[in-house]
């Protein structure tokens, strides 16, 4: 078994959609970035790549490459899965740090999206959201951060 951790941050700005784990969450602001800025999926991809000792998403999908402009991060997650043919995901746990909006109603769909992309059962995936009690950049609503940990199991 191999464990990996990922962390990412994106700034909240006007005029962008808020996409988290492939779910469009209704909100007045969205996350800024080269791709769809799905901060939670970025953290998860970095956790998977970390567990497999394959570097990070910046190496595989550079934000200087116009090919990834507006990229669907769920699609990139599928490509990360193709990079690890000798592993299966044991479980994944994602934590989204956001003061607003309330994410609880969207968590079940987020779990289903991630499980489908990683080809595992929803029971192997957890997505949770927390505020940081008004502290720091997530507390002030300037941005959203996400952590992910994943366990990979070698096949065969
Ligand atoms: Mg990112």
């Amino acid at each position: 078994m191999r464990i990996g951790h990922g962390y990412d941050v994106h700034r909240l700005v006007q005029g962008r959609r808020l996409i988290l784990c492939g779910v469009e969450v209704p909100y007045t602001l969205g996350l800024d970035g080269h791709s769809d800025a799905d901060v939670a999926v970025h953290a998860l991809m970095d956790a998977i790549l970390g567990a497999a000792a394959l570097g990070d998403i910046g190496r595989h999908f550079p934000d200087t490459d116009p090919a990834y402009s507006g990229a669907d991060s769920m699609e990139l997650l599928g490509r990360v899965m193709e990079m690890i043919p000798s592993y299966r995901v044991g479980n994944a746990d994602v934590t989204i740090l956001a003061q607003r909006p309330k994410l609880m109603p969207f968590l079940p769909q987020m779990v289903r999206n991630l499980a489908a992309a990683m080809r595992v059962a929803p029971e192997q995936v957890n997505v949770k959201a927390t505020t940081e009690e008004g502290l720091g950049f997530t507390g002030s609503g300037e941005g959203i951060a996400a952590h992910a940990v994943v366990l990979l199991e070698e096949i065969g």
Side-chain angles (χ1 to χ4, degrees), residues 8 10 42 57:
D8 196 25
H10 281 262
H42 292 183
I57 55 171

Side-chain angles (χ1 to χ4, degrees), residues 7-10 32 35 37-39 42-43 46 57:
Y7 174 70
D8 196 25
V9 173
H10 281 262
D32 197 19
S35 66
D38 191 329
V39 65
H42 292 183
D46 267 348
I57 55 171

